[in-house]
């Protein structure tokens, strides 16, 4: 098995932890870092750019694994606001629940939340994929520009408000759709794309039962006629 | 940005050690609110003929023994005064209106922080950890408590502007967020004869809810009306003699996290303020949904 490096946050500051992850990870070998006693602290494992497996053993705070590149970060607990904010690549997995703004502005990579995510999940996402095993709160995928949000449970109110070119798949009920979001038929391509994402996330669900939500594309196009009214 | 904390003990050992659990919560949330802090603690109510009054003297050299003698001479009856730095808790058979009037007339600099049978309030300027030390919060016992750490954004930093705010008897409120219509709420209430003591937005919410209760609403019904009346961002944590109540605004713009075990209920702005509590790692932890009322009672907890 790979080499395991334990880092205990009762002995290290968050700044020392992140400095180690940025500058002192061994190269040329597979490493796994275990972060012990996170106790809800913020900004753990942010800004990584390394092929490493990071396991955070416990509940963590805000902005966990923000800006992640290449690394695989797993939180064995819940996280606070803005997990994997601006994720670029790699995988961030939350074994518990996530608070608001999970995956906000994410450009690439995969965020998996095995239980529920709160409001504004995937807000302004720009190309990442987010798979939520449970439900999401209100205003999820607000202004989402590219990428995929998969919700295996229910979606809260105003799903996909002001949506651009991101696609949303929902396995449960949708409380309400936001402005310019619409439900569309699932195509074979949707089923294949969703099936791949569910497999990558390790979630056993039949993609056939999901609904597809995408943009009506009426809100962000310039209409000369409408413009002249003003 | 501000921090809120709340704790409700379900077991006698947690009632005894209430302060030991609450102080690390308050200190941790000092990161969200370093300019002032406050704590309301509820214990066994005094008998119905008596009232508890929490008093604050801005002057650290205030002569509390002379005050006690004047009070005994003018008001009479049974009086017990416990002094802690520049705070004092007065227990007596005096009518709240009469005491307030006497204080206004003879000691206008004194602040009456709370009135009731079960509530004591402490609040002051400074970092929450310093305030907790100054007033020996770790030694407090009680059934439930509500605390606040403030980073002022809309009105002055002063002990009077610090939370918790109180109105009426045995009711207090702390707030993370900002109201956008406190002055219109205030104007409505002032026309009804309700007097304000600060220009703080949270005081408008506190007095609105207390006004509804004085009109006969239960607190939950008052909060429902508050959702229509109060505009802005808010996570509000409130307490009465036997309840702890938590609500968030319709957009859930301000954070809150709650944990419930067989031994206690604890609420904070962030999980890290709860991480020290016994059994928390495997407890039921949840984020309150927007515009839902979460209520726990001292005797029979429920959500």
């Amino acid at each position: 098995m790979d080499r395991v490096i334990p880092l205990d946050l009762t002995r290290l500051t968050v700044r020392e932890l992140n400095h180690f992850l940025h500058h002192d990870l061994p190269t040329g070998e597979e490493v796994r870092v275990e972060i012990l006693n996170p106790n809800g602290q913020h900004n753990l494992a942010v800004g990584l750019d390394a092929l490493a497996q990071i396991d955070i053993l416990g509940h963590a705070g805000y902005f966990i694994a923000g800006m992640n590149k290449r690394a695989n970060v797993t939180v064995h607990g819940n996280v606070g606001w803005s997990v994997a904010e601006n994720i670029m690549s790699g995988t961030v997995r939350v074994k518990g629940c996530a608070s608001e703004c999970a995956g906000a502005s994410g450009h690439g990579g995969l965020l998996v939340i095995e239980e529920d995510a709160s409001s504004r999940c995937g807000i302004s996402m720009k190309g990442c994929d987010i798979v939520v095993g449970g439900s999401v709160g209100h205003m999820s995928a607000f202004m989402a520009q590219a990428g995929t949000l998969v919700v295996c449970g229910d979606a809260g109110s105003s799903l996909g408000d002001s949506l651009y070119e991101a696609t949303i798949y929902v396995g449960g009920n949708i409380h309400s759709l936001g402005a310019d979001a619409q439900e569309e038929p699932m195509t074979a391509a949707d089923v294949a794309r969703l099936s791949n994402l569910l497999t990558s996330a390790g979630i056993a669900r039949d993609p056939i039962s999901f609904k597809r939500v995408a943009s009506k594309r009426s809100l962000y196009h310039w209409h000369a006629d409408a413009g002249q009214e003003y | 940005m501000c921090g809120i904390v709340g704790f409700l003990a379900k077991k006698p050992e947690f009632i005894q050690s209430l302060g030991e659990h609450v102080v690390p919560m308050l200190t941790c949330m000092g990161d969200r609110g370093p300019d002032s802090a406050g704590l309301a603690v509820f214990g066994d109510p005094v008998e119905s003929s008596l009232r508890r009054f929490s008093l604050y003297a801005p002057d650290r050299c205030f002569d509390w023994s002379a005050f006690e003698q004047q009070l005994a001479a003018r008001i009479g009856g049974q009086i017990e005064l416990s002094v802690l730095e520049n705070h004092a808790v007065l227990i007596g058979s005096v009518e709240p209106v009469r005491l307030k009037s006497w204080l206004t007339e003879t000691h206008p600099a004194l602040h009456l922080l709370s009135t009731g049978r079960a509530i004591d309030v402490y609040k002051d300027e400074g970092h929450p950890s310093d305030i907790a030390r100054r007033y020996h919060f770790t030694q407090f016992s009680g059934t439930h408590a509500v605390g606040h750490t403030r980073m002022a954004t809309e009105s002055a930093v002063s002990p009077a502007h610090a939370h918790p705010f109180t109105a009426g008897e045995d009711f207090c409120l702390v707030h993370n967020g900002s109201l956008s219509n406190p002055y219109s709420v205030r104007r409505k209430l002032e026309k009804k004869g309700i007097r304000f003591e600060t220009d703080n937005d949270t005081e408008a919410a506190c007095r609105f809810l207390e006004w509804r209760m004085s009109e006969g609403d239960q607190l939950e019904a008052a909060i429902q009306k508050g959702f229509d009346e109060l505009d802005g961002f808010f996570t509000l944590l409130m307490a009465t003699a036997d309840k702890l109540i938590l609500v968030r605004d319709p957009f859930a713009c301000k954070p809150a996290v709650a944990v419930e075990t067989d031994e206690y209920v604890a609420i904070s702005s962030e999980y890290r303020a709860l991480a020290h509590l016994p059994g928390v790692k495997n407890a039921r932890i949840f984020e309150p949904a927007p515009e839902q009322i979460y209520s726990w009672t001292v005797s029979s907890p429920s959500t």
Side-chain angles (χ1 to χ4, degrees):
Chain A
M1 183 52 196
D2 50 7
R3 182 178 161 197
V4 178
I5 302 170
L7 297 172
D8 188 343
L9 284 174
T10 59
R11 298 179 180 185
L12 289 174
T13 65
V14 172
R15 190 173 289 269
E16 287 167 338
L17 165 78
N18 285 330
H19 187 277
F20 176 85
L21 296 176
H22 294 168
H23 301 287
D24 300 325
L25 276 178
T27 52
E29 60 177 317
E30 283 190 20
V31 291
R32 191 164 73 82
V33 175
E34 286 188 347
I35 300 175
L36 311 173
N37 297 305
N39 290 333
Q41 292 193 76
H42 304 325
N43 307 319
L44 306 181
V46 294
L48 295 191
D49 185 2
L51 285 170
Q53 171 68 38
I54 314 290
D55 286 287
I56 300 175
L57 304 181
H59 301 314
Y62 292 7
F63 303 108
I64 302 305
M67 302 173 282
N68 187 67
K69 249 183 174 177
R70 299 193 293 157
N72 292 324
V73 180
T74 300
V75 182
H76 298 259
N78 303 325
V79 292
W81 286 41
S82 301
V83 63
E85 182 197 43
N86 220 69
I87 180 174
M88 302 303 287
S89 62
T91 302
V92 176
R93 178 179 291 273
V94 178
K95 305 287 277 186
C97 295
S99 185
E100 304 195 13
C101 301
S105 297
H107 284 252
L110 174 66
L111 167 62
V112 180
I113 296 155
E114 295 192 356
E115 295 185 24
D116 296 334
S118 181
S119 59
R120 294 174 274 268
C121 178
I123 182 172
S124 195
M125 54 195 279
K126 295 175 174 66
C128 67
D129 294 315
I130 303 175
V131 180
V132 180
S135 299
V136 295
H138 63 273
M139 297 293 283
S140 288
F142 176 52
M143 295 188 77
Q145 292 138 59
T148 320
L149 171 63
V150 178
V151 182
C152 295
D154 301 334
S157 59
S158 299
L159 176 70
D161 193 286
S162 306
L163 198 57
Y164 290 84
E165 293 304 306
T167 309
I168 307 168
Y169 299 106
V170 181
N173 297 316
I174 298 169
H175 184 275
S176 65
L177 292 172
D180 212 32
Q182 66 181 359
E183 204 175 315
E184 297 178 346
M186 288 282 283
T187 64
D190 286 311
V191 172
R193 180 179 174 187
L194 178 55
S195 181
N196 283 339
L197 278 170
L198 289 167
T199 302
S200 300
I203 292 175
R205 281 289 299 266
D206 181 1
I208 296 294
S209 61
F210 280 66
K211 305 175 185 78
R212 171 190 158 100
V213 173
S215 175
K216 285 183 200 168
R217 299 174 176 169
S218 61
L219 199 59
Y220 66 89
H221 286 301
W222 169 254
H223 292 292
D225 292 343
Q228 285 165 6
E229 288 176 10
Y230 307 107
Chain B
M1 190 160 69
C2 294
I4 59 155
V5 300
F7 192 90
L8 185 146
K10 295 182 178 180
K11 295 278 173 69
E13 57 269 33
F14 283 83
I15 292 173
Q16 287 307 313
S17 57
L18 181 93
E20 291 172 25
H21 301 295
V22 169
V23 167
M25 296 168 68
L26 202 66
T27 300
C28 179
M29 287 298 91
D31 291 355
R32 295 181 64 93
D35 65 45
S36 44
L39 186 69
V41 182
F42 291 78
D44 288 335
V46 292
E47 63 181 82
S48 59
S49 63
L50 299 176
R51 289 293 179 276
R52 305 177 73 92
F53 303 95
S54 292
L55 300 165
Y56 174 84
D59 178 4
R60 297 261 165 111
C61 303
F62 184 75
D63 189 346
W64 288 106
S65 63
F67 170 82
E68 190 173 9
Q69 286 171 17
Q70 290 168 27
L71 188 65
R74 285 290 298 275
I75 304 290
Q78 183 186 343
I79 288 172
E80 181 189 322
L81 191 74
S82 309
V83 178
L84 195 52
E85 296 285 330
N86 51 341
H87 280 70
V89 173
L90 168 70
I91 300 174
S93 52
V94 55
E95 281 282 317
V97 175
R98 192 165 169 228
L99 180 78
K100 177 75 179 166
S101 165
W102 181 76
L103 285 173
T104 307
E105 181 190 327
T106 60
H107 294 89
L110 279 189
H111 294 284
L112 179 57
L113 300 182
S114 66
T115 302
R117 291 173 53 206
I119 185 174
D120 291 338
V121 168
Y122 296 83
K123 56 185 190 177
D124 210 342
E125 283 177 53
H127 193 276
S129 58
D130 295 333
I131 293 167
R133 252 194 313 275
R134 190 179 307 153
Y135 298 110
H136 313 292
F137 285 174
T138 51
Q139 295 173 17
F140 287 3
S141 59
T143 49
H144 53 304
V146 163
H148 188 265
T149 62
R150 185 167 185 243
M151 181 182 285
T153 54
E154 47 61 62
S155 60
V157 176
S158 82
H161 288 80
H163 306 212
F165 279 88
T166 66
E169 295 195 20
D170 284 328
F171 173 60
C172 75
L173 176 150
V174 295
H175 172 205
N176 174 202
S178 56
L179 298 179
S180 52
N181 65 340
Y183 286 98
S184 63
V185 174
R186 180 180 177 136
R187 280 193 294 273
K188 279 184 195 171
L189 296 177
E190 283 177 333
K191 283 179 187 165
K192 299 176 191 303
I194 293 166
R195 293 181 58 187
F196 281 68
E197 294 181 357
T198 72
D199 56 349
N200 184 286
D201 62 339
T202 304
E203 187 178 356
C206 185
R207 295 206 183 276
F208 174 82
L209 295 173
E210 200 278 330
W211 166 64
R212 287 312 317 160
M213 288 191 284
S214 71
E215 293 288 306
D217 284 347
Q218 293 293 309
L219 178 53
E220 289 85 347
I223 292 167
Q224 284 296 345
K225 291 190 174 77
F227 285 135
D228 296 330
E229 188 71 25
L230 303 172
D231 187 27
F233 305 140
F234 53 84
T235 292
L236 299 175
L237 181 59
M238 294 153 277
T240 64
D242 64 350
K243 276 186 183 173
L244 195 61
I245 295 191
L246 174 69
V247 295
R248 300 174 77 198
D249 69 63
F251 290 95
C253 280
K254 295 295 173 181
V257 60
V259 57
E260 181 161 13
T261 74
D262 292 339
E263 295 168 319
Y264 62 83
V265 175
I267 294 153
S268 179
S269 300
E270 298 175 23
Y271 170 76
R272 65 194 168 110
L274 309 175
H276 66 285
L277 292 170
V280 72
K281 289 181 177 63
N282 300 311
R284 177 181 170 240
I285 300 167
F286 66 98
E287 185 178 85
E291 221 171 13
Q292 272 193 30
I293 299 174
Y294 294 83
S295 171
W296 295 268
T297 59
V298 170
S299 50
S300 56
S302 66
T303 55

